[in-house]
Coordinates of all heavy atoms in Angstrom, one line a residue:
M69 N 9.6 -0.2 35.7 CA 10.1 -1.5 35.3 C 10.3 -1.5 33.8 O 9.5 -1.1 33.0 CB 9.0 -2.6 35.5 CG 9.3 -4.0 35.0 SD 8.1 -5.3 35.4 CE 6.7 -4.8 34.5
R70 N 11.6 -1.8 33.4 CA 11.9 -1.8 32.0 C 11.9 -3.2 31.5 O 12.4 -4.1 32.1 CB 13.4 -1.2 31.8 CG 13.8 -1.2 30.4 CD 15.2 -0.6 30.2 NE 15.0 0.9 30.2 CZ 15.9 1.7 29.8 NH1 17.1 1.3 29.4 NH2 15.7 3.0 29.8
I71 N 11.2 -3.4 30.3 CA 11.1 -4.7 29.7 C 11.5 -4.6 28.3 O 11.4 -3.6 27.6 CB 9.6 -5.2 29.8 CG1 8.7 -4.3 29.0 CG2 9.2 -5.4 31.3 CD1 7.3 -5.0 28.8
R72 N 12.0 -5.7 27.8 CA 12.3 -5.8 26.3 C 11.0 -6.1 25.6 O 10.3 -7.1 26.0 CB 13.3 -7.0 26.1 CG 13.7 -7.2 24.7 CD 14.6 -8.4 24.5 NE 15.0 -8.6 23.1 CZ 14.2 -9.2 22.2 NH1 13.0 -9.6 22.5 NH2 14.6 -9.3 20.9
V73 N 10.7 -5.3 24.6 CA 9.5 -5.5 23.8 C 9.7 -6.2 22.5 O 8.8 -6.9 22.0 CB 8.7 -4.2 23.6 CG1 8.2 -3.7 25.0 CG2 9.5 -3.1 23.0
C74 N 10.9 -6.0 21.9 CA 11.2 -6.7 20.6 C 12.6 -6.4 20.2 O 13.2 -5.5 20.8 CB 10.2 -6.3 19.5 SG 10.4 -4.6 18.9
G75 N 13.1 -7.1 19.2 CA 14.4 -6.7 18.6 C 14.1 -5.7 17.5 O 13.0 -5.6 16.9
V76 N 15.1 -4.8 17.3 CA 14.9 -3.8 16.2 C 14.6 -4.5 14.9 O 13.7 -4.0 14.1 CB 16.2 -3.0 16.1 CG1 16.2 -2.1 14.8 CG2 16.4 -2.1 17.3
A77 N 15.2 -5.6 14.6 CA 15.0 -6.3 13.4 C 13.7 -7.1 13.3 O 13.3 -7.6 12.2 CB 16.2 -7.3 13.1
D78 N 13.0 -7.1 14.4 CA 11.7 -7.9 14.4 C 10.5 -7.2 13.9 O 9.5 -7.8 13.7 CB 11.4 -8.4 15.9 CG 12.5 -9.3 16.5 OD1 13.2 -9.9 15.7 OD2 12.5 -9.3 17.7
L79 N 10.6 -5.9 13.8 CA 9.5 -5.1 13.5 C 9.8 -4.0 12.4 O 10.6 -3.1 12.6 CB 9.0 -4.3 14.7 CG 7.6 -3.8 14.8 CD1 6.5 -4.9 14.6 CD2 7.3 -3.0 16.1
E80 N 9.2 -4.3 11.2 CA 9.5 -3.4 10.1 C 8.8 -2.0 10.2 O 7.8 -2.0 10.9 CB 9.0 -4.0 8.8 CG 9.8 -5.3 8.4 CD 9.2 -6.0 7.2 OE1 8.3 -5.4 6.6 OE2 9.7 -7.1 6.9
P81 N 9.3 -1.0 9.6 CA 8.6 0.3 9.6 C 7.1 0.1 9.1 O 6.8 -0.6 8.2 CB 9.4 1.2 8.6 CG 10.8 0.6 8.7 CD 10.6 -0.9 8.9
G82 N 6.2 0.8 9.8 CA 4.8 0.7 9.5 C 4.1 -0.4 10.1 O 2.9 -0.7 9.8
R83 N 4.8 -1.2 11.0 CA 4.2 -2.3 11.6 C 4.1 -2.1 13.1 O 4.8 -1.3 13.7 CB 5.0 -3.6 11.3 CG 5.2 -3.9 9.8 CD 3.9 -4.1 9.1 NE 3.2 -5.3 9.6 CZ 3.3 -6.5 9.1 NH1 4.0 -6.8 8.1 NH2 2.6 -7.5 9.6
A84 N 3.3 -3.0 13.8 CA 3.1 -3.0 15.2 C 3.0 -4.4 15.7 O 2.7 -5.3 15.0 CB 1.8 -2.2 15.6
K85 N 3.3 -4.5 17.0 CA 3.2 -5.8 17.7 C 2.6 -5.7 19.1 O 3.0 -4.7 19.8 CB 4.7 -6.3 17.8 CG 4.8 -7.7 18.5 CD 6.3 -8.1 18.6 CE 6.4 -9.3 19.4 NZ 7.8 -9.6 19.7
R86 N 1.7 -6.6 19.4 CA 1.1 -6.6 20.7 C 2.1 -7.4 21.6 O 2.6 -8.4 21.3 CB -0.2 -7.4 20.6 CG -1.0 -7.5 21.9 CD -2.3 -8.2 21.6 NE -3.0 -8.7 22.8 CZ -4.0 -7.9 23.3 NH1 -4.3 -6.8 22.8 NH2 -4.7 -8.4 24.3
V87 N 2.3 -6.8 22.8 CA 3.2 -7.4 23.8 C 2.5 -7.7 25.1 O 1.9 -6.7 25.7 CB 4.5 -6.5 24.0 CG1 5.4 -7.2 25.1 CG2 5.2 -6.3 22.7
L88 N 2.5 -8.9 25.6 CA 1.8 -9.2 26.8 C 2.8 -9.0 28.0 O 4.0 -9.4 27.9 CB 1.4 -10.7 26.8 CG 0.4 -11.0 25.7 CD1 0.0 -12.5 25.7 CD2 -0.9 -10.1 25.8
V89 N 2.3 -8.4 29.0 CA 3.2 -8.1 30.2 C 2.4 -8.6 31.4 O 1.2 -8.4 31.6 CB 3.3 -6.5 30.3 CG1 4.3 -6.2 31.5 CG2 3.9 -5.9 29.0
D90 N 3.2 -9.3 32.3 CA 2.6 -9.8 33.5 C 1.9 -8.8 34.3 O 2.4 -7.7 34.5 CB 3.7 -10.5 34.4 CG 4.2 -11.8 33.8 OD1 3.5 -12.3 32.9 OD2 5.3 -12.2 34.2
H91 N 0.7 -9.1 34.8 CA -0.1 -8.3 35.8 C -0.5 -6.9 35.3 O -0.6 -6.0 36.1 CB 0.7 -8.2 37.1 CG 1.2 -9.5 37.6 ND1 0.4 -10.5 38.0 CD2 2.5 -9.9 37.8 CE1 1.1 -11.5 38.4 NE2 2.4 -11.2 38.3
R92 N -0.6 -6.7 34.0 CA -1.1 -5.5 33.5 C -1.7 -5.7 32.1 O -1.5 -6.7 31.5 CB 0.0 -4.4 33.4 CG 1.2 -4.8 32.6 CD 2.0 -3.6 32.2 NE 1.2 -2.8 31.3 CZ 1.1 -1.5 31.3 NH1 1.8 -0.8 32.1 NH2 0.3 -0.9 30.4
A93 N -2.3 -4.6 31.6 CA -2.9 -4.7 30.2 C -1.8 -4.8 29.2 O -0.7 -4.3 29.4 CB -3.8 -3.5 30.0
P94 N -2.1 -5.4 28.0 CA -1.0 -5.5 27.0 C -0.6 -4.1 26.5 O -1.3 -3.1 26.6 CB -1.7 -6.3 25.9 CG -2.9 -6.8 26.5 CD -3.3 -6.0 27.6
I95 N 0.6 -4.1 26.0 CA 1.1 -2.8 25.3 C 1.4 -3.1 23.9 O 1.4 -4.3 23.4 CB 2.4 -2.3 26.0 CG1 3.5 -3.4 26.0 CG2 2.1 -1.9 27.4 CD1 4.8 -2.9 26.6
A96 N 1.5 -2.1 23.1 CA 1.8 -2.2 21.7 C 3.1 -1.4 21.4 O 3.3 -0.3 21.8 CB 0.7 -1.6 20.8
V97 N 4.0 -2.1 20.6 CA 5.2 -1.4 20.1 C 5.0 -1.1 18.6 O 4.5 -2.0 17.8 CB 6.5 -2.2 20.4 CG1 6.4 -3.6 19.8 CG2 7.7 -1.5 19.8
F98 N 5.3 0.1 18.2 CA 5.1 0.6 16.8 C 6.4 1.0 16.3 O 7.2 1.6 17.0 CB 4.2 1.8 16.7 CG 2.8 1.5 17.2 CD1 2.4 1.7 18.5 CD2 1.8 1.2 16.3 CE1 1.1 1.5 19.0 CE2 0.5 1.0 16.7 CZ 0.1 1.1 18.1
N99 N 6.7 0.7 15.0 CA 7.8 1.2 14.3 C 7.3 2.2 13.3 O 6.6 1.8 12.3 CB 8.6 0.1 13.6 CG 9.8 0.5 12.8 OD1 9.9 1.7 12.5 ND2 10.7 -0.4 12.6
I100 N 7.6 3.5 13.5 CA 7.2 4.5 12.6 C 8.5 5.1 11.9 O 9.3 5.8 12.6 CB 6.5 5.7 13.3 CG1 5.2 5.1 14.0 CG2 6.1 6.8 12.3 CD1 4.5 6.2 14.8
A101 N 8.7 4.7 10.7 CA 9.9 5.2 9.9 C 11.2 5.0 10.7 O 12.1 5.9 10.7 CB 9.7 6.7 9.6
G102 N 11.3 3.8 11.3 CA 12.5 3.5 12.0 C 12.6 3.9 13.4 O 13.6 3.5 14.1
K103 N 11.7 4.7 13.9 CA 11.6 5.0 15.4 C 10.6 4.2 16.1 O 9.5 4.0 15.5 CB 11.4 6.5 15.6 CG 12.6 7.4 15.3 CD 12.4 8.7 15.9 CE 12.6 8.7 17.4 NZ 12.5 10.0 18.0
F104 N 10.9 3.8 17.3 CA 10.0 2.9 18.0 C 9.2 3.7 19.1 O 9.7 4.6 19.8 CB 10.7 1.7 18.7 CG 11.3 0.8 17.7 CD1 12.5 1.0 17.1 CD2 10.6 -0.3 17.3 CE1 13.1 0.2 16.1 CE2 11.1 -1.2 16.3 CZ 12.3 -0.9 15.7
Y105 N 7.9 3.3 19.2 CA 7.0 4.0 20.2 C 6.2 2.9 20.9 O 5.9 1.9 20.2 CB 6.1 4.9 19.5 CG 6.8 6.0 18.8 CD1 7.2 5.9 17.5 CD2 7.2 7.2 19.5 CE1 7.9 6.9 16.8 CE2 7.8 8.2 18.8 CZ 8.2 8.1 17.5 OH 8.9 9.1 16.9
V106 N 5.9 3.1 22.1 CA 5.1 2.1 22.9 C 3.9 2.8 23.5 O 4.1 3.8 24.2 CB 6.0 1.4 23.9 CG1 5.1 0.4 24.8 CG2 7.1 0.6 23.3
T107 N 2.8 2.2 23.4 CA 1.5 2.7 24.0 C 0.8 1.5 24.6 O 1.1 0.3 24.4 CB 0.6 3.3 22.9 OG1 0.0 2.3 22.1 CG2 1.3 4.4 22.1
D108 N -0.3 1.8 25.3 CA -1.3 0.7 25.6 C -1.7 0.1 24.3 O -1.9 0.8 23.3 CB -2.5 1.3 26.4 CG -2.1 1.7 27.8 OD1 -1.2 1.2 28.3 OD2 -2.8 2.6 28.3
D109 N -2.1 -1.2 24.3 CA -2.5 -1.8 23.1 C -4.0 -1.8 22.9 O -4.6 -1.8 21.8 CB -2.0 -3.3 23.0 CG -2.4 -3.9 21.6 OD1 -2.2 -3.2 20.6 OD2 -2.9 -5.0 21.6
D110 N -4.8 -1.8 24.0 CA -6.2 -1.8 24.0 C -6.8 -0.4 23.6 O -6.5 0.5 24.3 CB -6.8 -2.3 25.3 CG -6.5 -3.7 25.6 OD1 -6.2 -4.5 24.7 OD2 -6.6 -4.1 26.8
C111 N -7.6 -0.4 22.6 CA -8.3 0.9 22.3 C -9.1 1.3 23.5 O -9.7 0.5 24.2 CB -9.2 0.6 21.1 SG -10.2 2.1 20.6
T112 N -9.1 2.6 23.7 CA -9.8 3.1 24.9 C -11.3 3.2 24.7 O -12.1 3.5 25.6 CB -9.3 4.5 25.3 OG1 -9.5 5.4 24.2 CG2 -7.8 4.4 25.7
H113 N -11.8 2.9 23.5 CA -13.2 2.9 23.2 C -13.8 1.6 23.4 O -14.9 1.5 24.1 CB -13.5 3.3 21.7 CG -14.9 3.3 21.4 ND1 -15.5 2.4 20.5 CD2 -16.0 4.1 21.8 CE1 -16.8 2.7 20.3 NE2 -17.1 3.6 21.1
G114 N -13.2 0.5 23.0 CA -13.8 -0.8 23.1 C -12.9 -2.0 23.3 O -13.3 -3.1 23.1
L115 N -11.6 -1.7 23.6 CA -10.7 -2.7 23.9 C -10.2 -3.6 22.7 O -9.6 -4.6 22.9 CB -11.2 -3.7 25.0 CG -11.5 -3.0 26.4 CD1 -11.9 -4.0 27.4 CD2 -10.4 -2.1 26.9
S116 N -10.4 -3.1 21.5 CA -9.8 -3.7 20.4 C -8.2 -3.7 20.5 O -7.7 -2.7 21.1 CB -10.2 -3.0 19.1 OG -9.4 -3.4 18.0
S117 N -7.5 -4.7 20.0 CA -6.1 -4.6 20.0 C -5.7 -3.7 18.8 O -5.9 -4.0 17.6 CB -5.5 -6.0 19.8 OG -4.1 -5.9 19.4
L118 N -5.0 -2.6 19.1 CA -4.6 -1.7 18.1 C -3.5 -2.3 17.3 O -3.4 -2.0 16.0 CB -4.1 -0.3 18.7 CG -5.3 0.4 19.4 CD1 -4.7 1.6 20.2 CD2 -6.3 0.9 18.4
A119 N -2.6 -3.0 17.9 CA -1.5 -3.6 17.1 C -2.0 -4.7 16.2 O -1.5 -4.8 15.1 CB -0.5 -4.2 18.1
K120 N -2.9 -5.5 16.6 CA -3.4 -6.6 15.8 C -4.5 -6.2 14.8 O -4.5 -6.7 13.7 CB -3.9 -7.7 16.7 CG -2.8 -8.4 17.5 CD -3.4 -9.4 18.6 CE -3.9 -10.6 17.9 NZ -4.3 -11.6 18.9
D121 N -5.4 -5.4 15.2 CA -6.5 -5.0 14.4 C -6.5 -3.6 13.7 O -7.3 -3.3 12.9 CB -7.8 -5.1 15.2 CG -8.0 -6.5 15.8 OD1 -7.6 -7.5 15.2 OD2 -8.6 -6.6 16.9
G122 N -5.5 -2.8 14.2 CA -5.4 -1.5 13.7 C -4.7 -1.3 12.4 O -4.0 -2.2 12.0
Q123 N -4.9 -0.1 11.8 CA -4.2 0.2 10.6 C -3.3 1.4 10.8 O -3.8 2.5 11.3 CB -5.3 0.6 9.5 CG -4.7 0.9 8.1 CD -4.2 -0.3 7.4 OE1 -4.7 -1.4 7.5 NE2 -3.1 -0.1 6.6
I124 N -2.0 1.3 10.6 CA -1.1 2.4 10.8 C -1.0 3.3 9.6 O -0.8 2.8 8.4 CB 0.3 1.9 11.2 CG1 0.2 1.1 12.4 CG2 1.3 3.1 11.3 CD1 1.5 0.3 12.7
E125 N -1.2 4.6 9.8 CA -1.1 5.6 8.7 C -0.2 6.7 9.2 O -0.7 7.5 10.1 CB -2.4 6.1 8.2 CG -3.2 5.0 7.5 CD -4.6 5.4 7.0 OE1 -4.7 6.7 6.8 OE2 -5.4 4.6 6.9
G126 N 1.0 6.9 8.8 CA 1.9 7.9 9.3 C 2.1 7.7 10.8 O 2.5 6.6 11.1
D127 N 1.9 8.7 11.6 CA 2.1 8.5 13.0 C 0.8 8.3 13.7 O 0.7 8.5 14.9 CB 2.8 9.7 13.6 CG 2.1 11.0 13.4 OD1 1.0 11.0 12.9 OD2 2.6 12.1 13.8
E128 N -0.3 7.8 13.0 CA -1.5 7.5 13.6 C -1.9 6.0 13.4 O -1.4 5.4 12.5 CB -2.7 8.4 13.1 CG -2.5 9.8 13.4 CD -3.8 10.6 13.1 OE1 -4.6 10.1 12.3 OE2 -3.9 11.8 13.5
V129 N -2.7 5.5 14.4 CA -3.3 4.2 14.2 C -4.8 4.3 14.2 O -5.4 5.0 15.1 CB -2.7 3.2 15.3 CG1 -3.1 3.7 16.7 CG2 -3.3 1.8 15.0
E130 N -5.4 3.6 13.2 CA -6.9 3.6 13.2 C -7.3 2.3 13.7 O -6.9 1.2 13.3 CB -7.3 3.8 11.7 CG -8.9 3.7 11.6 CD -9.3 4.0 10.2 OE1 -8.9 5.0 9.6 OE2 -10.1 3.2 9.7
C131 N -8.2 2.4 14.7 CA -8.8 1.2 15.3 C -9.6 0.4 14.3 O -10.4 0.9 13.5 CB -9.6 1.5 16.5 SG -10.4 0.1 17.3
G132 N -9.4 -0.9 14.3 CA -10.1 -1.8 13.4 C -11.5 -2.1 13.7 O -12.2 -2.6 12.8
W133 N -12.0 -1.7 14.8 CA -13.4 -2.0 15.2 C -14.3 -0.9 14.8 O -15.3 -1.1 14.1 CB -13.5 -2.2 16.7 CG -13.0 -3.6 17.1 CD1 -12.3 -4.4 16.4 CD2 -13.2 -4.2 18.4 NE1 -12.0 -5.6 17.1 CE2 -12.5 -5.5 18.3 CE3 -13.8 -3.8 19.6 CZ2 -12.5 -6.3 19.4 CZ3 -13.8 -4.7 20.6 CH2 -13.2 -5.9 20.5
H134 N -14.1 0.4 15.1 CA -15.0 1.5 14.9 C -14.4 2.7 14.2 O -15.0 3.7 14.1 CB -15.8 1.9 16.1 CG -16.3 0.8 16.9 ND1 -15.8 0.4 18.1 CD2 -17.4 0.0 16.7 CE1 -16.5 -0.7 18.6 NE2 -17.4 -0.9 17.7
G135 N -13.1 2.6 13.8 CA -12.5 3.6 13.0 C -12.0 4.8 13.8 O -11.5 5.8 13.2
G136 N -12.0 4.7 15.1 CA -11.3 5.8 15.9 C -9.8 5.8 15.7 O -9.2 4.8 15.2
R137 N -9.2 6.9 16.0 CA -7.8 7.1 15.7 C -7.1 7.7 16.9 O -7.6 8.5 17.7 CB -7.6 8.0 14.5 CG -7.9 7.5 13.2 CD -7.8 8.5 12.1 NE -7.8 7.9 10.8 CZ -6.7 7.7 10.1 NH1 -5.5 8.1 10.5 NH2 -6.7 7.1 8.9
F138 N -5.8 7.3 17.0 CA -4.9 7.9 18.0 C -3.6 8.3 17.3 O -3.1 7.6 16.4 CB -4.5 6.8 19.0 CG -5.7 6.3 19.8 CD1 -6.4 5.2 19.4 CD2 -6.1 6.9 21.0 CE1 -7.5 4.7 20.1 CE2 -7.2 6.4 21.7 CZ -7.9 5.3 21.2
N139 N -3.0 9.4 17.9 CA -1.6 9.7 17.6 C -0.7 8.7 18.3 O -0.8 8.7 19.6 CB -1.3 11.1 17.9 CG 0.1 11.5 17.5 OD1 1.1 11.0 18.1 ND2 0.2 12.4 16.5
I140 N 0.1 8.0 17.7 CA 1.0 7.0 18.3 C 2.0 7.6 19.2 O 2.4 7.0 20.2 CB 1.6 6.1 17.2 CG1 0.5 5.3 16.5 CG2 2.7 5.1 17.8 CD1 1.0 4.6 15.2
I141 N 2.5 8.8 18.8 CA 3.6 9.4 19.6 C 3.1 10.0 20.9 O 3.7 9.8 21.9 CB 4.3 10.5 18.7 CG1 4.9 9.8 17.4 CG2 5.4 11.2 19.5 CD1 5.3 10.8 16.4
T142 N 1.9 10.6 20.8 CA 1.4 11.3 22.0 C 0.3 10.5 22.8 O 0.0 10.7 23.9 CB 0.8 12.6 21.7 OG1 -0.4 12.4 20.9 CG2 1.8 13.5 20.9
G143 N -0.3 9.5 22.1 CA -1.4 8.8 22.7 C -2.7 9.5 22.6 O -3.8 8.9 23.0
E144 N -2.7 10.7 22.1 CA -4.0 11.5 22.1 C -4.9 10.9 21.0 O -4.5 10.6 19.9 CB -3.7 13.0 21.8 CG -2.9 13.7 22.9 CD -3.7 13.8 24.2 OE1 -5.0 13.8 24.1 OE2 -3.1 13.8 25.2
P145 N -6.2 10.9 21.3 CA -7.2 10.5 20.3 C -7.3 11.6 19.3 O -7.3 12.8 19.6 CB -8.5 10.4 21.1 CG -8.3 11.2 22.3 CD -6.9 11.2 22.6
T146 N -7.4 11.2 18.0 CA -7.5 12.2 16.9 C -8.8 12.1 16.1 O -9.0 12.9 15.2 CB -6.3 12.1 16.0 OG1 -6.2 10.8 15.4 CG2 -5.0 12.4 16.7
F147 N -9.6 11.1 16.4 CA -10.8 10.9 15.6 C -11.8 10.1 16.4 O -11.4 9.1 17.1 CB -10.5 10.2 14.3 CG -11.7 10.3 13.3 CD1 -11.9 11.5 12.6 CD2 -12.5 9.2 13.0 CE1 -12.9 11.6 11.7 CE2 -13.5 9.3 12.1 CZ -13.7 10.5 11.4
S148 N -13.1 10.5 16.4 CA -14.1 9.8 17.1 C -14.3 8.4 16.6 O -14.0 8.1 15.4 CB -15.4 10.6 17.1 OG -15.9 10.6 15.8
P149 N -14.8 7.5 17.4 CA -15.4 7.7 18.7 C -14.4 7.7 19.9 O -14.8 7.7 21.0 CB -16.4 6.5 18.9 CG -15.7 5.4 18.1 CD -15.0 6.1 17.0
C150 N -13.1 7.7 19.6 CA -12.1 7.7 20.7 C -12.0 9.1 21.3 O -11.8 10.0 20.6 CB -10.8 7.2 20.2 SG -10.9 5.5 19.5
V151 N -12.1 9.2 22.6 CA -11.9 10.4 23.3 C -11.0 10.4 24.5 O -10.6 11.4 25.0 CB -13.3 11.0 23.8 CG1 -14.2 11.3 22.7 CG2 -14.0 10.0 24.8
V152 N -10.6 9.2 24.9 CA -9.6 9.0 26.0 C -8.3 8.6 25.4 O -8.2 7.7 24.6 CB -10.2 7.9 27.0 CG1 -9.2 7.7 28.1 CG2 -11.5 8.3 27.5
R153 N -7.2 9.3 25.9 CA -5.9 9.0 25.4 C -5.4 7.6 25.8 O -5.8 7.1 26.8 CB -4.9 10.1 25.8 CG -4.5 10.1 27.2 CD -3.6 11.3 27.5 NE -2.3 11.2 26.8 CZ -1.3 10.5 27.3 NH1 -1.4 9.8 28.4 NH2 -0.2 10.4 26.6
L154 N -4.4 7.2 25.0 CA -3.6 6.0 25.4 C -2.5 6.4 26.2 O -1.9 7.5 26.0 CB -3.1 5.3 24.1 CG -4.0 4.8 23.0 CD1 -3.2 4.5 21.8 CD2 -4.8 3.6 23.5
N155 N -2.1 5.6 27.2 CA -0.9 5.8 27.9 C 0.3 5.5 26.9 O 0.2 4.6 26.1 CB -0.7 4.8 29.1 CG -1.7 5.2 30.2 OD1 -1.8 6.3 30.6 ND2 -2.4 4.2 30.7
T156 N 1.3 6.3 27.0 CA 2.5 6.1 26.3 C 3.7 5.8 27.2 O 3.7 6.2 28.4 CB 2.9 7.3 25.4 OG1 3.0 8.5 26.2 CG2 1.7 7.6 24.4
Y157 N 4.7 5.2 26.7 CA 5.8 4.7 27.6 C 7.2 5.1 26.9 O 7.3 5.0 25.7 CB 5.7 3.2 27.8 CG 4.4 2.8 28.4 CD1 3.3 2.4 27.6 CD2 4.2 3.0 29.7 CE1 2.1 2.1 28.1 CE2 2.9 2.7 30.3 CZ 1.9 2.2 29.5 OH 0.6 2.0 30.0
A158 N 8.1 5.4 27.8 CA 9.5 5.8 27.3 C 10.1 4.6 26.7 O 10.0 3.4 27.2 CB 10.3 6.3 28.5
V159 N 10.8 4.8 25.6 CA 11.4 3.7 24.8 C 12.9 3.9 24.8 O 13.4 5.1 24.7 CB 10.9 3.7 23.4 CG1 11.6 2.7 22.5 CG2 9.4 3.3 23.4
A160 N 13.7 2.8 24.9 CA 15.1 2.9 24.7 C 15.5 1.8 23.8 O 15.0 0.7 23.8 CB 15.8 2.8 26.0
V161 N 16.4 2.1 22.8 CA 17.0 1.1 22.0 C 18.4 0.8 22.4 O 19.2 1.8 22.4 CB 16.9 1.5 20.5 CG1 17.5 0.5 19.6 CG2 15.4 1.7 20.1
V162 N 18.7 -0.4 22.7 CA 20.1 -0.7 23.3 C 20.5 -2.0 22.6 O 19.9 -3.1 22.7 CB 20.0 -1.0 24.8 CG1 21.4 -1.3 25.3 CG2 19.5 0.2 25.5
A163 N 21.6 -1.9 21.8 CA 22.3 -3.1 21.2 C 21.3 -3.9 20.4 O 21.3 -5.2 20.6 CB 23.0 -3.9 22.3
G164 N 20.5 -3.3 19.7 CA 19.6 -4.0 18.8 C 18.3 -4.5 19.4 O 17.5 -5.2 18.7
D165 N 18.0 -4.1 20.6 CA 16.8 -4.5 21.3 C 16.0 -3.2 21.7 O 16.6 -2.2 22.0 CB 17.0 -5.3 22.5 CG 17.5 -6.7 22.2 OD1 16.9 -7.4 21.3 OD2 18.5 -7.2 22.8
V166 N 14.7 -3.3 21.7 CA 13.8 -2.2 22.1 C 13.2 -2.5 23.4 O 12.7 -3.6 23.7 CB 12.7 -2.1 21.0 CG1 11.8 -0.9 21.4 CG2 13.2 -1.9 19.6
F167 N 13.4 -1.5 24.3 CA 12.9 -1.6 25.7 C 11.9 -0.5 26.0 O 12.0 0.6 25.4 CB 14.1 -1.5 26.7 CG 15.1 -2.6 26.6 CD1 16.2 -2.5 25.7 CD2 15.0 -3.7 27.4 CE1 17.1 -3.5 25.6 CE2 15.9 -4.7 27.3 CZ 17.0 -4.6 26.4
A168 N 11.0 -0.8 26.9 CA 10.0 0.2 27.3 C 9.9 0.2 28.8 O 10.0 -0.8 29.5 CB 8.6 -0.2 26.8
D169 N 9.8 1.4 29.3 CA 9.6 1.6 30.8 C 8.1 1.6 31.1 O 7.4 2.6 30.7 CB 10.2 2.9 31.3 CG 11.7 2.9 31.2 OD1 12.3 1.8 31.5 OD2 12.3 3.9 30.8
V170 N 7.6 0.6 31.6 CA 6.1 0.4 31.8 C 5.6 0.7 33.2 O 4.5 0.3 33.5 CB 5.6 -1.0 31.3 CG1 5.9 -1.1 29.8 CG2 6.3 -2.1 32.0
G171 N 6.5 1.3 34.0 CA 6.1 1.6 35.4 C 6.1 0.5 36.4 O 6.5 -0.6 36.0
Ligands
FES423 S1 -13.0 -0.3 19.9 FE1 -11.6 1.2 19.0 S2 -12.9 2.7 18.1 FE2 -14.3 1.3 19.0

């Protein structure tokens, strides 16, 4: 299922947005240096919103609750206490809108 997550102009580089999707956990869209990436939004350690409470540094997001980190591009955890990866989703930019394939 492909859904629109935001407009290109809605999200500045270095920012993220939580997106609610019917019948599934929220996802997060990140703008890293003008490229868009979509992952699960809930931290796999304690369900903090990475988009709302996290801090983006380069291509990583640091969870606002306990300082765990994830690579936004791969979803892999890069710092404890996070050990379980985030799901990542294919992204397409079409005519100024950002879409994600969320399965
Ligand atoms: S909830 Fe994210 S590191 Fe604990």
Side-chain angles (χ1 to χ4, degrees):
M69 176 175 69
R70 177 174 280 193
I71 63 166
R72 179 187 181 277
V73 292
C74 69
V76 169
D78 297 339
L79 199 60
E80 297 176 3
R83 304 297 299 266
K85 178 182 174 187
R86 180 178 171 93
V87 178
L88 301 178
V89 183
D90 287 345
H91 310 301
R92 56 157 296 137
I95 57 176
V97 55
F98 297 87
N99 181 338
I100 302 174
K103 283 197 72 174
F104 292 86
Y105 299 90
V106 175
T107 72
D108 289 335
D109 186 43
D110 291 340
C111 178
T112 58
H113 178 248
L115 302 184
S116 166
S117 167
L118 295 169
K120 292 172 73 174
D121 302 327
Q123 181 74 33
I124 299 169
E125 293 180 23
D127 60 2
E128 293 190 347
V129 59
E130 180 176 308
C131 178
W133 283 11
H134 310 108
R137 287 174 164 260
F138 298 93
N139 182 292
I140 294 165
I141 299 168
T142 66
E144 294 294 332
T146 58
F147 196 76
S148 64
C150 301
V151 294
V152 177
R153 72 183 296 275
L154 299 168
N155 291 311
T156 58
Y157 303 95
V159 171
V161 177
V162 181
D165 289 314
V166 182
F167 296 87
D169 292 321
V170 295

